[in-house]
Amino acid sequence: ERKDRLRMLSRNLRSHLILAPSTSVGKSIIATSLTIASLSLGEIVAYCKPVGTGDITEDDELYALEP
């Protein structure tokens, strides 16, 4: 029964993995755009960035907090 519930749940989940070979190429902007688009469709959204690198003045939080 638990496996059936997990299988049903995974059919309803969508995930995006955004990769690039370097920093400052727009990965966070793309991820934020996908998040906003999904929210506008009424979807439940979770955004996770496990590692942050690069210059502190170009922090991704600046992009995420813009209206």
Side-chain angles (χ1 to χ4, degrees):
E1 182 182 312
R2 183 171 187 267
K3 282 185 179 182
D4 290 336
R5 284 187 290 162
L6 289 175
R7 197 170 306 141
M8 287 175 54
L9 177 63
S10 66
R11 288 183 192 151
N12 296 320
L13 294 178
R14 182 178 341 150
S15 64
H16 302 282
L17 178 61
I18 301 165
L19 304 170
S22 63
T23 60
S24 299
V25 294
K27 296 179 300 289
S28 296
I29 293 170
I30 296 298
T32 302
S33 298
L34 286 170
T35 301
I36 291 168
S38 294
L39 286 170
S40 71
L41 294 173
E43 297 179 359
I44 298 171
V45 177
Y47 178 91
C48 175
K49 182 175 180 178
V51 177
T53 61
D55 189 0
I56 192 70
T57 61
E58 298 175 2
D59 189 20
D60 295 332
E61 194 171 319
L62 298 175
Y63 297 111
L65 296 177
E66 286 183 4

